[in-house]
Amino acid sequence: MTPPPDTTTDQAPTRADRFARDLAALKIPDPAAARNVLWLRTGALLLLTGLVLGALAYPLAHATEDPLAQRDALAIGLTGVVCAVVGGVLYLRYSLTGFLRFWLARQAYDLSDLGDRLTADPTATVLAVTEGEPRNGATSTAPR
């Protein structure tokens, strides 16, 4: 097997390469870790279980005139509501964790890159504005 070609001899590392290297240096855990997937699936399972329990409790409570059976069905229905709420919160929390973790790392990298550019050349313009685009909410007089 031949080793992969060395791409760093002629070219400077690209922005994506630097971002991947800096992301690895931050030691952010992989969002696809087994524990996160387990909690995500647990949340989805609890949510579905809560919906099923709620759907089953309604006919049980209305099918009888016996107050004891109705109270049992109401307890099952309340358990279903609690399961659905807890499952929904778990699912939402662990489904957003991966996205927000990457977003935070990306923001940190972009701010670091911006700081490096500003300290390297303080007279350089940070944001390039194309001709004809509005600046600071003002309309431009240039034709589009």
Side-chain angles (χ1 to χ4, degrees), residues 39 42-44 46-47 79-93:
W39 282 111
T42 302
L46 275 174
L47 182 61
T79 302
V81 169
V82 169
C83 285
V85 169
V86 170
V89 167
L90 280 174
Y91 183 80
L92 210 71
R93 189 253 193 238

Side-chain angles (χ1 to χ4, degrees), residues 4-76:
D6 188 16
T7 58
T8 59
T9 56
D10 299 28
Q11 304 169 351
T14 64
R15 184 175 179 205
D17 294 335
R18 287 192 321 248
F19 176 66
R21 184 180 63 239
D22 291 344
L23 191 62
L26 287 175
K27 297 180 182 171
I28 295 174
D30 185 17
R35 184 164 296 192
N36 288 347
V37 172
L38 174 70
W39 282 111
L40 184 70
R41 289 181 181 165
T42 302
L45 184 66
L46 275 174
L47 182 61
L48 291 175
T49 302
L51 292 174
V52 168
L53 284 176
L56 289 176
Y58 182 78
L60 286 175
H62 287 85
T64 183
E65 299 268 335
D66 184 19
L68 296 176
Q70 288 177 346
R71 288 182 195 135
D72 288 342
L74 289 175
I76 292 171

Side-chain angles (χ1 to χ4, degrees), residues 5 9 16 19 31 39 52 66 77-78 94 99 106 111 122 133 136:
T9 56
F19 176 66
W39 282 111
V52 168
D66 184 19
L78 186 59
Y94 284 99
F99 170 74
R106 180 64 190 220
L111 286 174
E133 290 294 319
N136 296 332

